[in-house]
């Protein structure tokens, strides 16, 4: 087993910057990610690297990868971390088999999961996540369809629509849960990052030129397959995301891209039993942490969106401050220099996070939206658990999310409740008298964190090599 | 539909359920099947409803396929020449 001072989990902007800064501070650092290259989702390595483009994400991603390559960080790409223990031992599966490492400290920079609030037909092939559409257009250079319907909330709506249009695709419409007023209220915070605001205005101009209809305060209520295409129904909604009476619109498209915000990835911190709290503005359950991401557990840090949604720009600055705080805690040399760097990283982070948190508020879960899920709609995609079955379990006495899981299998499938956990928690909380997410809790994290094949763990062996313990005397 | 025409040298043949397809070397298998019009990748284990690529980042587990006899997420597989993938006959069981 290889020993490190620090293991960083996740090689997005938070993880890369944490690993690079920690290594520069003199720590022996390992960086794990399940993807084949560093960058995370926002800065994912494009398939075609030969063509230089002016896309801002590609430049930032390129710079992060260069910084990492120039550092002393030991990287483990294409490695799935499936277990972590209380003494900070990490078990992963990589292309060359199982890997076991241990460290004095951990920084969890696991990013987020996209939230999709279920609606009738949302499991139909061709309905994809908004983040998936963004990855198709970005790293894979594929249009999601000739015509696409974009629904949900947050800045990714305009980003995906503008990229589709710029690459010759058609956007049937954008349906945004937010009102124009909500965007206007986010504007002062957006002014804190002028370059990001400029990019947003560029998207909006592209959409105006292409005359893409933007339906504010609209939600998707249904998708049905029509041959190879999809017919989607949109309805006006109130501020809580609840569909209201009014004109329904239908669209016949190749692809529906839907995203209702992001939830922090907390499997690792939940597995390690750090204290968590629910924060709707931060995207859901988050590890309780100070400004540098120091959790309730000794030498366990969280950084970036996994610590609460604040966007990719803020993730990088948060990763740096977590790494510096960690280096100080582990007794790094030249403390006064590290403290100065930490102060500077905190100041940069404050500015970057202001923008991201305003976007996160636009993407926060809306209670009325979840109330509108129809009884026969599937909530847990892995186990096909419907909203009616969740209701039935609640009626039978399940008022805790893990009780619900045991009774209905909701959240028990291969995705480990990453897709449905936030929605199931909200559904259950809305049914209890206290209506509190803390009261119903969250799914317990379990190993393996990702499905792993037993043969991948055991490798090749001869039966003769298996030690047989001698039987205990009778 | 691809955004830009790929260089011919990067186009390779792959197979999905023995159906020959063209894809770009290094491209994501889930994305390559999606752009080739193959949307349904598996049936859900309980209600046997069609499912396909959804999150494209290794989280949702909807794009589970067989690659060289092993269960893999298509979104975590890079296309190589001659790659053979199949639908999983039945999920949730051992056969």
């Amino acid at each position: 087993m290889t020993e490190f001072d620090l293991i960083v989990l996740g090689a997005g902007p938070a993880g890369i910057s944490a690993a690079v800064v920690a290594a520069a501070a003199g720590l022996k650092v390992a960086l794990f990610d399940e993807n084949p290259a560093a960058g995370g989702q926002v800065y994912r390595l494009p398939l075609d690297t030969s063509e230089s483009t002016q896309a801002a994400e590609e430049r930032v991603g390129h710079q992060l990868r260069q910084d990492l390559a120039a550092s002393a960080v030991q990287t483990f790409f294409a490695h799935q971390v499936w277990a972590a223990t209380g003494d900070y031992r990490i078990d992963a599966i990589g292309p060359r088999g199982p890997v076991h490492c241990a460290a004095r400290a951990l920084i969890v920079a696991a990013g987020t999961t996209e939230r999709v609030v279920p609606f009738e037909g949302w499991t139909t092939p061709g309905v994809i996540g908004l983040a998936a559409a963004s990855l198709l257009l970005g790293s894979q250079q594929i249009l999601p369809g000739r015509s696409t319907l974009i629904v949900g909330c947050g800045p990714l709506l305009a980003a995906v629509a503008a990229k589709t249009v710029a690459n010759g695709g058609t956007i049937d419409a954008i349906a945004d849960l937010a009102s124009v007023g909500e965007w206007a209220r986010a504007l002062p915070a957006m002014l804190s990052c002028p370059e990001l605001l400029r990019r947003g205005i560029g998207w909006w101009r592209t959409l105006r030129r292409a005359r893409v209809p933007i339906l504010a305060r609209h939600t998707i209520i249904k998708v049905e397959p029509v041959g190879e295409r999809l017919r989607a129904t949109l309805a006006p909604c109130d501020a809580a995301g609840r569909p209201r009476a009014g004109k329904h619109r239908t669209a016949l498209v190749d692809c529906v891209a839907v995203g209702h915000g992001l939830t922090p990835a907390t499997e690792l911190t939940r597995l390690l039993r750090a204290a968590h709290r629910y924060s709707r503005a931060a995207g859901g359950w988050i590890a309780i942490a100070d400004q540098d991401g120091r959790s309730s557990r000794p030498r366990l840090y969280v950084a970036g969106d996994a610590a609460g949604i604040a966007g990719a720009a803020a993730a990088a600055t948060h990763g740096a401050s977590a790494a510096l705080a960690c280096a100080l805690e582990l007794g790094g040399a030249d403390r006064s220099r590290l403290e100065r760097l930490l102060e500077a990283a905190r100041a940069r982070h404050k500015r970057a996070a202001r923008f991201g948190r305003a976007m996160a508020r636009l993407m926060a879960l809306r209670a009325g939206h979840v109330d509108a899920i129809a009884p026969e709609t599937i909530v847990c995609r892995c186990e096909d658990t419907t909203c009616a079955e969740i209701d039935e379990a609640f009626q039978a006495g399940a008022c805790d999310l893990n009780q619900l899981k045991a009774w209905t299998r909701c959240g028990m499938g291969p995705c480990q409740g990453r897709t449905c956990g936030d929605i199931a928690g909200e559904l259950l909380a809305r049914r209890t008298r206290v209506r509190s997410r803390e009261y119903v809790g969250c799914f317990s994290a379990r190993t393996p964190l990702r499905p792993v094949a037993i043969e991948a763990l055991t490798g090749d062996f001869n039966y003769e090599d298996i030690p047989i313990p001698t039987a205990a005397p009778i | 539909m691809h955004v830009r025409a790929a260089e011919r040298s990067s186009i390779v043949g792959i197979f999905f359920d023995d159906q020959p397809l063209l894809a770009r070397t290094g491209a994501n298998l889930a994305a390559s099947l999606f752009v080739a019009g193959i949307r349904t990748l598996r049936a859900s284990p309980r209600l046997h409803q069609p499912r396909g690529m959804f999150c494209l980042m290794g989280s949702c587990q909807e794009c589970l396929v067989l690659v060289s006899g092993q269960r893999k997420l298509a979104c975590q597989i890079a296309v190589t020449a001659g790659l053979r993938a199949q639908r999983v006959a039945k999920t949730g069981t051992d056969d």
Side-chain angles (χ1 to χ4, degrees):
Chain A
M1 181 148 44
T2 322
E3 306 266 350
F4 293 91
D5 291 318
L6 169 68
I7 295 177
V8 181
L9 300 160
I16 297 172
S17 124
V20 168
V21 168
L27 299 186
K28 187 183 176 197
V29 184
L31 175 63
F32 280 83
D33 198 288
E34 61 188 349
N35 293 291
Q41 302 306 337
V42 174
Y43 305 125
R44 206 194 272 202
L45 184 69
L47 177 58
D48 195 346
T49 49
S50 59
E51 288 184 58
S52 66
T53 72
Q54 289 304 303
E57 289 100 337
E58 289 184 27
R59 284 201 305 272
V60 177
H62 184 67
Q63 187 61 49
L64 284 168
R65 280 184 283 272
Q66 272 191 334
D67 292 348
L68 181 61
S71 75
V73 174
Q74 192 172 338
T75 56
F76 294 86
F77 296 129
H79 279 71
Q80 287 200 313
V81 171
W82 62 272
T85 56
D87 52 355
Y88 301 155
R89 171 194 154 122
I90 297 298
D91 298 302
I93 299 262
R96 278 177 300 280
V99 170
H100 315 286
C101 294
R104 293 157 68 200
L106 287 186
I107 295 181
V108 176
T112 76
T113 307
E114 188 166 44
R115 175 197 300 121
V116 177
V117 177
F119 52 89
E120 189 183 339
W122 75 300
T123 55
T124 311
V127 177
I128 64 171
L130 203 47
S134 177
L135 290 169
L136 279 181
L137 287 157
S139 80
Q140 301 294 311
Q141 289 155 12
I142 284 171
L143 283 173
R146 277 156 305 172
S147 64
T148 305
L149 177 70
I150 310 258
V151 296
C153 50
L156 215 46
L157 293 173
V160 169
K163 273 184 210 160
T164 304
V165 168
N167 287 305
T170 305
I171 297 296
D172 192 277
I174 299 175
D176 189 348
L177 288 175
S179 64
V180 177
E182 280 179 59
W183 280 98
R185 280 192 292 282
L187 205 58
M190 288 161 85
L191 287 168
S192 63
C193 289
E195 67 283 8
L196 294 180
L197 179 60
R198 257 199 303 280
R199 201 191 325 163
I201 292 169
W203 294 333
W204 185 71
R205 283 211 182 111
T206 305
L207 298 174
R208 280 278 297 233
R209 266 200 303 276
R211 298 175 190 279
V212 172
I214 302 177
L215 310 170
R217 281 270 192 271
H218 272 69
T219 186
I220 187 164
I221 56 172
K222 187 177 171 183
V223 165
E224 49 198 334
V226 178
E228 295 291 296
R229 311 191 79 193
L230 302 168
R231 182 186 291 128
T233 309
L234 303 172
C237 66
D238 62 16
R242 192 180 286 105
R244 58 177 176 78
K247 190 176 157 240
H248 286 191
R249 294 162 191 258
T250 59
L252 191 63
V253 291
D254 293 328
C255 176
V256 173
V258 52
H260 296 121
L262 305 167
T263 56
T266 54
E267 301 101 299
L268 277 154
T269 47
R270 277 185 285 135
L271 184 68
L272 292 169
R273 300 282 189 271
H276 286 70
R277 68 186 173 92
Y278 180 76
S279 163
R280 195 165 284 255
W285 285 94
I286 48 173
I288 294 172
D290 70 4
Q291 63 173 331
D292 303 318
R294 186 184 283 107
S295 77
S296 63
R297 218 178 181 289
R299 303 178 314 286
L300 173 67
Y301 289 76
V302 283
D305 280 344
I309 309 301
T317 52
H318 198 215
S321 72
L324 290 162
C326 181
L328 280 164
E329 186 172 349
L330 295 184
D334 200 354
R335 294 187 71 80
S336 60
R337 190 178 138 268
L338 291 179
E339 274 160 10
R340 260 198 325 276
L341 288 171
L342 179 58
E343 281 307 319
R346 282 173 179 166
R348 277 201 309 279
H349 178 59
K350 227 173 179 174
R351 204 166 41 242
R354 198 165 165 234
F355 184 98
R357 289 193 183 125
M359 295 300 100
R361 277 193 293 277
L362 279 169
M363 296 189 285
L365 182 62
R366 295 166 195 243
H369 197 184
V370 174
D371 286 344
I373 300 173
E376 64 281 4
T377 297
I378 288 169
V379 174
C380 168
R381 297 173 68 109
C382 293
E383 296 288 340
D384 287 333
T385 315
T386 63
C387 190
E389 286 168 319
I390 291 174
D391 256 328
E392 228 170 87
F394 170 71
Q395 297 298 338
C399 52
D400 163 276
L401 211 43
N402 287 303
Q403 184 69 71
L404 176 80
K405 179 175 166 180
W407 285 357
T408 63
R409 295 192 64 85
C410 178
M412 210 184 271
C415 99
Q416 293 261 37
R418 276 190 298 274
T419 315
C420 70
D422 188 52
I423 304 301
E426 185 74 8
L427 280 169
L428 201 54
R430 299 284 294 168
R431 278 154 179 73
T432 58
R433 202 149 31 88
V434 288
R435 297 203 157 199
S436 138
R437 290 292 295 264
E438 285 83 359
Y439 179 73
V440 300
C442 52
F443 289 139
S444 299
R446 298 268 181 247
T447 53
L449 292 166
R450 292 285 190 275
V452 284
I454 296 285
E455 67 212 32
L457 296 181
T458 56
D460 288 329
F461 60 90
N462 293 317
Y463 274 95
E464 305 86 81
D465 297 338
I466 301 173
I468 298 167
T470 41
I474 297 168
Chain B
M1 203 167 21
H2 282 98
V3 167
R4 276 189 291 261
E7 282 176 45
R8 191 169 299 182
S9 62
S10 70
I11 301 293
V12 294
I14 62 167
F15 299 88
F16 188 66
D17 276 352
D18 294 327
Q19 180 190 344
L21 302 166
L22 294 176
R24 284 174 72 174
T25 313
N28 183 295
L29 177 59
S32 303
L33 294 173
F34 192 83
V35 77
I38 297 174
R39 300 283 189 92
T40 301
L41 299 180
R42 66 182 196 109
S44 68
R46 195 170 138 220
L47 302 177
H48 309 293
Q49 294 178 345
R51 295 289 171 81
M53 179 190 89
F54 185 64
C55 83
L56 198 53
M57 51 178 84
S59 174
C60 77
Q61 314 286 314
E62 290 282 30
C63 63
L64 188 79
V65 294
L66 287 176
V67 178
S68 316
Q70 290 190 318
R71 287 171 187 221
K72 299 276 184 191
L73 295 180
C75 75
Q76 303 294 87
I77 298 286
V79 164
T80 50
L83 181 120
R84 281 182 180 273
Q86 289 164 294
R87 287 192 176 89
V88 178
K90 242 183 185 176
T91 48
T93 63
D94 287 333
D95 50 36

